[in-house]
Amino acid sequence: MNRLPDRLLVVTDRHQAVKPLPQLVSAALAGGARWIWLRDRDLDQPERRSLAQQLHELVSMADAVLTIGGDVDLAARVGARGVHLQSAGAISAARAVLGVSALIGVSAHDEADIRAAAAAGADYVTVSPIFTTASKPGYGPALGLTVLRRWAAIGLPVVALGGITCDRAPLCIEAGAVGVAVMGEVMRAVDTATTIRSLRACALMSPRAGV
């Protein structure tokens, strides 16, 4: 199992972003971000490829990790070190293309998803929504910390996603998450670098931060 790059995973969404994504990601990296997930699945292929290449160059210069959402071929094409998949069934094919050192994650919404991802060799899962989130209104009932604690105990590294704020990040870590994924708080922040520094500090406040 590959080690996660950081306790904070920054998830992109250009629709919420207050500045162009390359500029925003550059500021996030300057603030200490070390793991970026290019989501933005609604872009057409040429635009997404161009954006992925730009972000990969920025992330590489910062010695950070870029995860591409849902497109193994694009991850391979730009040289990204990670891919985030929608189902465990795609893990084997992704590993064959990207290699054993690639960071492969899966979106999980129930216990069965997590167990399937673990059996298929995922490095981590994101579990969402932990809290009610403005980024995805109506996406589903908030799972809460009790469910997070139970699912984290399965043993596969869990990254908490959905409604994560600085105050909530340490609660997620204490509940067993190895990290937190944040979209809206970063995309909407006027001062991206300061927001990143705050979120990373909060994620490290838990007694479990050294785990």
Side-chain angles (χ1 to χ4, degrees):
M1 187 179 296
N2 294 305
R3 186 183 179 90
L4 302 191
D6 197 28
R7 289 231 177 234
L8 175 64
L9 170 57
V10 176
V11 188
T12 70
D13 179 2
R14 73 191 189 287
H15 298 296
Q16 297 187 71
V18 297
K19 62 193 80 170
L21 282 181
Q23 183 181 344
L24 190 151
V25 168
S26 181
L29 293 167
R34 287 298 171 264
W35 189 12
I36 308 293
W37 170 6
L38 171 58
R39 204 165 177 276
D40 292 273
R41 296 191 303 255
D42 59 334
L43 277 169
D44 64 37
Q45 192 170 21
E47 285 184 287
R48 196 164 193 245
R49 186 185 308 129
S50 175
L51 178 58
Q53 188 61 57
Q54 291 178 70
L55 298 190
H56 174 63
E57 291 170 4
L58 291 170
V59 166
S60 296
M61 286 189 292
D63 195 26
V65 172
L66 177 65
T67 285
I68 302 292
D71 192 332
V72 175
D73 291 337
L74 179 58
R77 181 171 187 147
V78 302
R81 290 164 58 188
V83 67
H84 192 91
L85 306 170
Q86 292 302 301
S87 72
I91 292 175
S92 179
R95 190 70 74 191
V97 172
L98 299 175
V100 296
S101 64
L103 187 68
I104 297 181
V106 176
S107 294
H109 303 289
D110 57 36
E111 186 172 323
D113 288 342
I114 299 173
R115 294 192 182 281
D123 295 304
Y124 69 96
V125 291
T126 55
V127 169
S128 65
I130 301 302
F131 304 101
T132 301
T133 169
S135 297
K136 294 284 182 180
Y139 189 60
L143 297 169
L145 295 171
T146 299
V147 171
L148 175 60
R149 184 174 292 108
R150 186 169 72 246
W151 291 358
I154 292 171
L156 184 65
V158 167
V159 177
L161 170 64
I164 305 299
T165 62
C166 200
D167 290 340
R168 291 168 170 172
L171 301 178
C172 293
I173 303 300
E174 289 167 9
V178 298
V180 294
V182 182
M183 178 191 289
E185 286 287 300
V186 175
M187 295 297 109
R188 297 188 296 264
V190 175
D191 187 339
T192 308
T194 296
T195 298
I196 292 293
R197 282 191 284 269
S198 296
L199 284 165
R200 293 188 78 241
C202 288
L204 292 169
M205 283 172 59
S206 165
R208 294 188 68 257
V211 175

